[in-house]
Every structure is written in structure tokens, then in C-alpha cells.
Amino acid sequence: MKREIVINASTMEVRVALLEDSALAELYLERTSRRGLVGNIYKGRVTRVLPGMQAAFVDIGLEKAGFLHVSDFHDELANYGAVAEVTGEEDVETEAEASGEAEPRDEDFAVEADEIEEFSVVPDEPSEELETEATELAAGAPAAEPTADAEAAPTAARRSRSRRGGRGRRRRRHERRVRIPIEQQLKRGQEIIVQIAKEPLGTKGARLTSFVSIPGRHLVYTPTSNHVGISRRIESAQERARLRAAVKEIRPDQGGFIVRTVCEGLSKREIQRDVAFLTKLWSSILKRSEASPGATMLYNDLDVALRVVRDLFSSDVEKLWCDERETCDRILEFVHTYTPRLRSRVALYEAEEPIFDHFQIEAQIERALERKVWLKSGGYLVFDQTEALTAIDVNTGRFVGKRNQDETVLRTNLEAADEVVKQLRLRNIGGIIIVDFIDMTREPDRKRVTDTLAQALKRDKARSSMLKISELGLVQMTRKRTRESLEELLTDQCPHCHGRRVVKSVPTLAAEVLRGIHRIAGRPPRRDLMVIKVHSAVARYLYDVGARDLETLENRLGIKVVLRSSDAIEPGAFELIQATAAA
């Protein structure tokens, strides 16, 4: 597969496209007015502790307080040395697993790396419903008393992560971590160090964690864990053992490391350089924390261009193009420092044609915002995003097949399964996802579609869970969400339909205008002439189809109504621009 990175930089925004065989696979956007927050580290001040939700709100200096669940809080005395779930682009093996000492837990898990954040150390997370309820409670909205079911929501959410479509493995630990109630660990006004794990979304503040992880080029430093993890994408057992021994030998007494795939083949000196850099960075963060008041940012992650270079630019990327000289120079300097062998693959784009037009990316972005996605066979997908979930409907469309109905349905569903995952990556859709495949009567066909979907999910860095397809053709899945979807990032609510995706028909609007005229004419003072401005489509309908109704209204009220058309007025609105009182 040919992979390229294309960067379009300007003073207003920076856009980064990851191309796979010339097709847009992922898009990242960062505007100057709103930098990404995931990965930033803050000294926060606890503003409210909610025992019933086992969560706290922490002021980190942003518009809205951040949300910290008890499972995301690391108390140094109570939890030091516990093995937290390691999530990232790569599956990670810990020391205990390498030695065969670890015991399997009840659930499977899959690794993640939302956006271009390679790793974060995050324990089991609460459900989004619990987080929403806590946010509303903190904002002063009425909320019911928490029940046992509500307090058990995090556990239920964890248990729901059953089969991961072939992506998972058993998560292992030395021991189960005893969870101390949050009210015994935090109090109002307490200052703690936290990291943003999820961008503020909608009405919610940022999702916080105290399991800090600092990514470098070759390693990820986890100061709250003492364990060494090795990427499972490094297949050689000998190389894995060498890397583990090298990291254990040079690491400090406190803190653990995750060895990334790009570390394969590196010398001990190169690994030591990354260890020294990351531990020194963490020390500077701690020193800054001691001298800073609460609600202060201690560490700002790299901008999107350099994050892409750090996390995505590797030997399997053939070329990195950038159309802005200053940004390109910064990238070259970064590459020269960390991966000098890839320097020749960085190129400045200097042609007259805009870089995204040259690589045909703009058209692909436009298609990614459409509700309907066509398949090569002639079938199509329909995406409907709501606040609670995303529904994806699969249809045969123009595809009628050649032999029989079962074969036609199976081929459409197999093609749709692969395209669904591509669109989830491109559109960055997260949360609950329901895929409505075309009904299949044969169990082997349903299994083939499930396996195809699971195989496609392996290419997606974001953590996801999936249940097998039902007899009705439905697949229920979840995908980790840390930032806004492409639709939320690039679009605003329609001023005409107010986000409903539909507008009232012209006949409906015409009838509403007549009722509005009737309502106004019935109010004093009494009039004999009314000049009304309406949308041109509504005016044409009233003169052509509604002329009789308009005449009846005039006779009933004893007035004359004159319509003026204008495309500047909203279709559902009308405006009284002149009225003459009766003599």
C-alpha cells in the first residue's frame, strides 16, 4: 500500500491528509484560533466532587471544567505500581506477560490511538451516559438520585466490551487494583496534575486523566506506571527481548516505558537518548507545577504538523509533502533530530495549483460530508448521525447481481463492511454505531460479513468493540471518540432546518403564511391593505395554487393582501412591510 502525507499550512489553519493508495484515509485539522488539547498537561484545581457519580470536576483554566472519573485518577500512595490499561496504535505486551506470570482477566480489550495521539495510559472508563449526567448535574440541571444501576454503569460498560471482532487479547495484571472511593481521594480545592484524554465535545468539558503519558519518537514515558510494554507489531522474539532488556537497564527507578514499533532495530544509545529526553521533560513539568497556581497549563503538546511527523511519519510512508516553507523547515528540523534517515522523503510543494487540489483531496473531503456514500458495485451507504448514536444503512441500490439474490446481498454487504470502516476513520465517527446490513438468510454469509468487518477494523487505530451480526443483519459496535467528527469540525447547524436535516415543504409554508396574515390582520388597528414580503417560492405557490385561499382570506377579513417575493427572506418567514389603516 502506497502511503503519503500531505500538509496544507496557512496562518488560519493547518490541514493534514493521510493518503493510502491516493485515497484519503484520515484528515486532521487544527485552526490557529483553536489548537488541539489532547495530550496537554495541567495543574488543575478540584471544583466539585460527586460521590454518587464517582467523578470530580477539575478547573484547568478552560471555559468548562474537565471531567475526571475515579477510574482515571491515580493516587500515588494507593495505586502506585498498578498496571493500567495501555492503549495506543500498537498492541503492547507487558513484562508479566513476557514472563508468563500474569493471569487473564474477565474481558478482552483492543488498543487505541485516537487522532494521532499514539499512546495514553487510561484505565477502565465510565460510560458516556454517566459523564453526561454528571455534567448536567454540575451545571445545575435537575437530576434524579443516583441509583445502584447508575453507579454500576462503569462496570457494565467494561463488561460490554466483550468480543472485539478478533482485535483483542486477554488483558493481564499482576493484581487487581483496589479502587478507593473518589470522595476519600479528592476534596474541593485540591490541586492535582491531570492530562486531557478527550477534547471538549458539545456541552461536555474535556475528559481528564491523571495517568499521564508523554510520547516521544521511539518511546512513550508513563511516569505513573513502573512497567515496560513492547509493541506487538515487533514480531521477532529476539528483538523484543533485546529492546525490553535495553529499556529496563537504562530507565529511571520511577516510571515505565512503552516501546513503539519505530524503535525496532535502534541501538541502545538511540533509545537512551529518548529516555533522557522524556524523563527530563517530566522533571521540568513537575518543577513548573511546584511554582504554578492551580488551573495552569504545564505542558503543551506539539502542533498538528509535528504530531503527524512524530506519530505517523515512518518508513512505510513514501513521501511527506508540505506547501508552506516555514512549516516544512520545522518538519525538516524535527526529522533531522529524530529520524534523519527519512529526511529525503520530506518535500516542499511549490506548484501553482493548490496542494489539496493536486492530490484530489478537496473532492474527497466534500464526499465525506455527504449523507450517501456510493459503493463500486452500485450499492450505497446512508449515514445518519444523531446525538446518541450513528446509524449506517446498507442498500443494494443499482446493483442487481448476476446469479441469485443471496449472492447479490452477500457481495453488497462484504463491500459495505470494508467501506464502513474507511468512512468511520475518515469521518472520525465515534460513540455507538449501528450498521444495518441487508438481511442474509444463511449463517455462513453472516459470519463472512462479520469477519470482513473485524478484519477491516484492524486497520483502524481507534479502539472499537463489535458484536457479531444478528439475524436481522444488525451490527452493534462502539468506537472511541476523543475529538470532534469531520462533520462537527467542518460544518455548522443549518439556519433553515436547525439541524433537523429537513425543511418544511412549500405548501406547508404557504399555509403557515396565510395563517400568519390572518393572525396579524385580526389585531387592532383594523387595516384595509397589507403588503407582505415572502420567499419567492412561497409567493409563486400562493399565486398559482393558493390564489383561491388568498381571495377567501381577503373577503373574510375585508382587506387587500399584496405579496412581494424575495429570496433574501427565509422560506418559512414573512414580513409585514406596509399596512394601511381602514378609513
Side-chain angles (χ1 to χ4, degrees), residues 40 168 209 314 422 475 488 493 562 577:
N40 290 358
T209 177
S314 57
K422 290 180 181 178
V475 168
E488 293 169 328
Q493 190 180 83
V562 178
I577 59 175

Side-chain angles (χ1 to χ4, degrees), residues 388-449:
L389 57 83
T390 297
I392 306 172
D393 187 30
V394 182
N395 299 278
T396 54
R398 298 189 294 260
F399 181 56
V400 295
K402 295 181 179 179
R403 297 183 183 178
N404 56 62
Q405 182 180 358
D406 287 341
E407 182 184 315
T408 301
V409 169
L410 176 61
R411 182 178 168 185
T412 304
N413 283 340
L414 289 175
E415 188 180 0
D418 192 62
E419 186 63 33
V420 162
V421 177
K422 290 180 181 178
Q423 292 296 322
L424 292 179
R425 287 180 64 194
L426 177 55
R427 297 171 184 240
N428 195 34
I429 294 174
I432 301 172
I433 300 164
I434 305 295
V435 186
D436 183 10
F437 288 101
I438 305 169
D439 291 350
M440 293 170 285
T441 58
R442 299 182 299 195
E443 176 60 29
D445 290 350
R446 291 197 290 269
K447 186 177 186 305
R448 280 189 64 185
V449 173

Side-chain angles (χ1 to χ4, degrees), residues 51-96:
M53 299 295 183
Q54 282 301 290
F57 285 90
V58 183
D59 179 15
I60 56 175
L62 301 180
E63 182 181 353
K64 297 176 182 176
F67 177 86
L68 178 67
H69 188 258
V70 65
S71 61
D72 292 318
F73 181 66
H74 171 82
D75 185 299
E76 199 166 88
L77 295 178
N79 304 328
Y80 184 79
V83 182
E85 177 184 346
V86 177
T87 59
E89 181 187 65
E90 300 146 310
D91 205 352
V92 175
E93 179 186 67
T94 63
E95 294 171 89

Side-chain angles (χ1 to χ4, degrees), residues 12-201:
M12 187 170 62
E13 65 180 17
V14 177
R15 297 185 298 171
V16 181
L18 174 64
L19 304 182
E20 295 179 350
D21 291 333
S22 301
L24 180 61
E26 297 176 16
L27 179 72
Y28 306 101
L29 184 147
E30 187 173 85
R31 294 192 170 97
T32 308
S33 57
R34 186 181 177 186
R35 286 278 305 273
L37 300 175
V38 170
N40 290 358
I41 300 174
Y42 296 81
K43 182 177 183 180
R45 183 185 297 111
V46 178
T47 58
R48 191 169 184 184
V49 178
L50 305 175
M53 299 295 183
Q54 282 301 290
F57 285 90
V58 183
D59 179 15
I60 56 175
L62 301 180
E63 182 181 353
K64 297 176 182 176
F67 177 86
L68 178 67
H69 188 258
V70 65
S71 61
D72 292 318
F73 181 66
H74 171 82
D75 185 299
E76 199 166 88
L77 295 178
N79 304 328
Y80 184 79
V83 182
E85 177 184 346
V86 177
T87 59
E89 181 187 65
E90 300 146 310
D91 205 352
V92 175
E93 179 186 67
T94 63
E95 294 171 89
E97 291 176 311
S99 62
E101 297 174 359
E103 297 181 359
R105 291 197 63 195
D106 296 334
E107 64 260 36
D108 295 336
F109 84 103
V111 294
E112 71 179 78
D114 300 286
E115 305 189 9
I116 47 181
E117 171 197 18
E118 177 93 4
F119 284 99
S120 59
V121 178
V122 185
D124 300 330
E125 62 188 52
S127 63
E128 290 201 13
E129 290 80 2
L130 186 68
E131 182 179 342
T132 301
E133 188 175 347
T135 303
E136 292 174 351
L137 182 62
E145 283 295 318
T147 63
D149 291 339
E151 294 184 10
T155 303
R158 294 196 300 275
R159 289 176 179 169
S160 69
R161 302 177 198 160
S162 53
R163 296 294 172 188
R164 304 279 181 177
R167 300 184 67 201
R169 64 177 175 86
R170 292 287 181 186
R171 177 169 52 189
R172 305 165 187 263
R173 300 189 184 188
H174 284 297
E175 58 187 61
R176 293 181 183 272
R177 178 160 59 90
V178 178
R179 181 170 294 169
I180 302 173
I182 196 165
E183 64 270 22
Q184 296 180 23
Q185 302 186 70
L186 294 175
K187 60 182 180 180
R188 187 172 182 177
Q190 184 176 339
E191 294 181 341
I192 55 175
I193 294 178
V194 291
Q195 186 174 35
I196 293 185
K198 183 190 293 186
E199 297 274 357
L201 297 172

Side-chain angles (χ1 to χ4, degrees), residues 80-367:
Y80 184 79
V83 182
E85 177 184 346
V86 177
T87 59
E89 181 187 65
E90 300 146 310
D91 205 352
V92 175
E93 179 186 67
T94 63
E95 294 171 89
E97 291 176 311
S99 62
E101 297 174 359
E103 297 181 359
R105 291 197 63 195
D106 296 334
E107 64 260 36
D108 295 336
F109 84 103
V111 294
E112 71 179 78
D114 300 286
E115 305 189 9
I116 47 181
E117 171 197 18
E118 177 93 4
F119 284 99
S120 59
V121 178
V122 185
D124 300 330
E125 62 188 52
S127 63
E128 290 201 13
E129 290 80 2
L130 186 68
E131 182 179 342
T132 301
E133 188 175 347
T135 303
E136 292 174 351
L137 182 62
E145 283 295 318
T147 63
D149 291 339
E151 294 184 10
T155 303
R158 294 196 300 275
R159 289 176 179 169
S160 69
R161 302 177 198 160
S162 53
R163 296 294 172 188
R164 304 279 181 177
R167 300 184 67 201
R169 64 177 175 86
R170 292 287 181 186
R171 177 169 52 189
R172 305 165 187 263
R173 300 189 184 188
H174 284 297
E175 58 187 61
R176 293 181 183 272
R177 178 160 59 90
V178 178
R179 181 170 294 169
I180 302 173
I182 196 165
E183 64 270 22
Q184 296 180 23
Q185 302 186 70
L186 294 175
K187 60 182 180 180
R188 187 172 182 177
Q190 184 176 339
E191 294 181 341
I192 55 175
I193 294 178
V194 291
Q195 186 174 35
I196 293 185
K198 183 190 293 186
E199 297 274 357
L201 297 172
T203 59
K204 300 178 185 177
R207 175 70 180 274
L208 305 177
T209 177
S210 65
F211 291 86
V212 174
S213 61
I214 307 175
R217 172 61 186 173
H218 306 114
L219 303 171
V220 177
Y221 182 43
T222 56
T224 57
S225 170
N226 274 344
H227 291 264
V228 175
I230 307 290
S231 167
R232 289 183 179 269
R233 295 188 183 183
I234 301 176
E235 297 179 355
S236 169
Q238 184 178 356
E239 177 65 6
R240 298 168 68 84
R242 183 188 74 86
L243 291 171
R244 187 185 304 279
V247 173
K248 290 178 69 174
E249 183 180 343
I250 61 181
R251 71 170 182 171
D253 294 335
Q254 182 174 341
F257 287 91
I258 301 166
V259 179
R260 302 171 71 169
T261 305
V262 292
C263 199
E264 186 172 10
L266 290 183
S267 67
K268 184 177 177 181
R269 171 180 281 187
E270 290 175 295
I271 296 173
Q272 189 171 17
R273 188 185 305 138
D274 229 24
V275 169
F277 169 75
L278 291 172
T279 52
K280 185 177 180 181
L281 177 59
W282 175 242
S283 296
S284 67
I285 290 172
L286 292 178
K287 288 181 181 178
R288 196 175 301 131
S289 172
E290 293 173 1
S292 302
T296 302
M297 183 170 67
L298 305 176
Y299 168 75
N300 188 14
D301 201 8
L302 301 173
D303 61 69
V304 68
L306 294 185
R307 288 204 310 271
V308 164
V309 176
R310 181 190 68 194
D311 298 330
L312 298 183
F313 189 40
S314 57
S315 57
D316 64 341
V317 176
E318 293 187 10
K319 206 75 174 178
L320 186 151
W321 299 91
C322 181
D323 65 352
E324 203 262 331
R325 184 173 295 278
E326 183 180 342
T327 302
C328 189
D329 289 342
R330 290 196 301 116
I331 291 172
L332 284 169
E333 183 180 351
F334 188 90
V335 170
H336 178 72
T337 303
Y338 293 100
T339 53
R341 66 183 183 279
L342 298 179
R343 185 180 173 89
S344 61
R345 302 190 186 189
V346 179
L348 176 65
Y349 178 84
E350 297 182 288
E352 289 294 329
E353 184 182 19
I355 189 169
F356 269 34
D357 289 348
H358 176 78
F359 287 95
Q360 300 179 346
I361 298 172
E362 295 289 8
Q364 296 184 65
I365 295 174
E366 289 299 321
R367 288 197 295 271

